[in-house]
Amino acid sequence: MSLKQKHALITGSSRGIGRGIALKLAGAGATIAIHHYQNEAAAKETLRRIKERGADGQTTTPTLIDNRATGHQGYPDIAADGGMLHALWWDTRNDPCYSATRPVGNCADRSTVPALDIYATSSNEDGASWAASTKVTDVMSNGNYEQFDNRSVPFGGDYLWITARCSFAYGTWTDWRNTVQGSDPREVTEDEDNATADVKQCRTFNATTGT
């Protein structure tokens, strides 16, 4: 299969499996963007081997698009169309209980609070520079609600999506604003989250059997 006139971005392609994938695609004629973090020498070696195969490419490193002193950022998604890049991600810069040593939305007293927002930005320079980030959500979510695995664990997941048409983008994400808080009848004495992660239950507790 020929990949001439096709372009491929291979993350972590300075060595190992990433390099192997880059060389395989280069052998099929693709132009390769070799993504690396710190090992520039290894990335240049991958580029040399690509050119040995008669293909072309370039090296590239990550770009920090929204540097923050506090908060966690994760699960980003990105879309590209018509020379524009759009990105969105989970962001906890507004977490009232933020600590680098505790999970998102977890306070020192072991309670949980809403801590998750969605932020987004765009670039019209192929990622060389990015616009100031914008808070997309108008309601902050508590991702600690116990809603999965028989309502015993939280899970927000990587349910972020963005799609774009030139300068316009649509995004979607998980939202907990309609979660109804309640008590968990399985907890004869309240658990460590001080009832702040429990949701309304569709069950009753049988004291005889303990189920």
Side-chain angles (χ1 to χ4, degrees), residues 15-77:
R15 52 199 175 93
I17 295 173
R19 174 183 283 176
I21 294 171
L23 295 179
K24 186 72 173 178
L25 295 178
T31 299
I32 308 297
I34 305 156
H35 179 276
H36 69 98
Y37 177 44
Q38 292 179 318
N39 198 335
E40 183 179 3
K44 288 182 176 179
E45 172 61 18
T46 302
L47 180 59
R48 184 188 68 79
R49 296 189 191 186
I50 283 172
K51 291 186 174 182
E52 279 183 349
R53 286 160 172 75
D56 197 8
Q58 64 182 38
T59 62
T60 181
T61 57
T63 298
L64 186 61
I65 64 176
D66 190 23
N67 192 16
R68 294 287 157 178
T70 60
H72 301 290
Q73 297 171 324
Y75 293 108
D77 196 34

Side-chain angles (χ1 to χ4, degrees), residues 79 88 161-165 168-173:
L88 84 170
W161 177 264
I162 190 167
T163 189
R165 181 67 174 170
F168 190 82
Y170 284 102
T172 187
W173 55 88

Side-chain angles (χ1 to χ4, degrees), residues 62-112:
T63 298
L64 186 61
I65 64 176
D66 190 23
N67 192 16
R68 294 287 157 178
T70 60
H72 301 290
Q73 297 171 324
Y75 293 108
D77 196 34
I78 191 165
D81 184 74
M84 288 284 296
L85 298 174
H86 298 266
L88 84 170
W89 60 89
W90 285 126
D91 198 298
T92 69
R93 71 184 70 179
N94 303 313
D95 180 352
C97 290
Y98 171 75
S99 169
T101 61
R102 290 194 301 271
V104 169
N106 279 245
C107 303
D109 66 359
R110 296 182 179 274
S111 63
T112 68

Side-chain angles (χ1 to χ4, degrees), residues 10 12 23 26 44 49-51 56 80 83 90 97-98 108 121 124-125 132 138 172 174-175 177 184 190 194 200 202:
I10 315 297
L23 295 179
K44 288 182 176 179
R49 296 189 191 186
I50 283 172
K51 291 186 174 182
D56 197 8
W90 285 126
C97 290
Y98 171 75
T121 185
N124 58 8
E125 296 181 332
D138 57 0
T172 187
T174 310
D175 193 302
R177 74 180 68 192
D184 189 337
E190 184 48 61
N194 298 325
K200 187 175 180 180
C202 52

